[in-house]
């Protein structure tokens, strides 16, 4: 799922713990996106919509 939604295979972070840290952030983001059940679209579309629409982003984060 992470490779489809976040294109994780093309990630080039190699120094220290950066790859593991970014993977943790991606897992958190994926869990938040999957928790949002109002929109009936895929993970990739929800991620793009959150980048375009601040209200949708706040709904995913849980502020609204």
């Amino acid at each position: 799922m992470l490779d489809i939604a976040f294109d994780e295979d093309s990630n080039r972070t190699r120094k220290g713990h950066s790859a593991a840290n970014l993977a943790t952030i991606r897992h958190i983001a994926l869990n938040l996106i999957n928790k949002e059940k109002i929109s009936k679209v895929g993970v990739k579309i929800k991620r793009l919509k959150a980048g375009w629409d601040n209200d949708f982003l706040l709904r995913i984060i849980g502020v609204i």
Side-chain angles (χ1 to χ4, degrees):
M1 182 62 86
L2 285 175
D3 185 40
I4 295 169
F6 292 95
D7 197 22
E8 194 174 47
D9 285 345
S10 66
N11 185 12
R12 296 291 185 179
T13 55
R14 304 213 192 291
K15 285 201 127 188
H17 299 285
S18 61
N21 293 339
L22 287 174
T24 302
I25 291 170
R26 285 189 200 102
H27 278 283
I28 292 168
L30 184 63
N31 288 335
L32 288 172
I33 289 171
N34 284 332
K35 199 170 92 171
E36 197 277 324
K37 298 293 184 191
I38 295 172
S39 298
K40 299 294 182 188
V41 295
V43 172
K44 197 168 191 176
I45 300 298
K46 285 182 184 180
R47 184 175 155 244
L48 289 172
K49 188 175 177 183
W52 295 324
D53 185 7
N54 287 335
D55 292 332
F56 187 71
L57 175 64
L58 292 174
R59 187 176 347 143
I60 286 178
I61 293 173
V63 175
I64 294 177

